[in-house]
Amino acid sequence: MVQYFKESLEELKNNVTWPSLGDTQKEMVVVVVFSILFSLVIWGMDSSFEYLIGKYFEFMK
């Protein structure tokens, strides 16, 4: 088991190409922006369904 972790660490150090800090920051901004946009779309859909279902039950009284 110890050998496995040593080999894994060696692999990460020597064979993995890590992105630069600048690339990582750019990708993080993209993820944050799309996460905010997606959450706003979901919120808008939820609010619309809440309104429509409320109107439906109000109409059914």
Side-chain angles (χ1 to χ4, degrees):
M1 190 66 155
V2 174
Q3 184 65 26
Y4 171 77
F5 285 113
K6 285 181 181 179
E7 290 175 1
S8 296
L9 185 59
E10 187 69 26
E11 176 100 14
L12 288 172
K13 286 181 179 178
N14 297 323
N15 298 333
V16 174
T17 304
W18 296 99
S20 68
L21 179 61
D23 289 341
T24 304
Q25 288 174 338
K26 288 177 189 175
E27 291 172 8
M28 183 198 65
V29 169
V30 170
V31 168
V32 168
V33 168
F34 278 104
S35 296
I36 291 170
L37 289 175
F38 188 69
S39 67
L40 288 173
V41 168
I42 296 295
W43 172 77
M45 291 171 56
D46 182 54
S47 296
S48 298
F49 283 129
E50 178 184 11
Y51 174 78
L52 291 172
I53 289 172
K55 286 295 183 183
Y56 172 76
F57 282 113
E58 187 179 299
F59 174 74
M60 294 303 285
K61 283 185 178 181

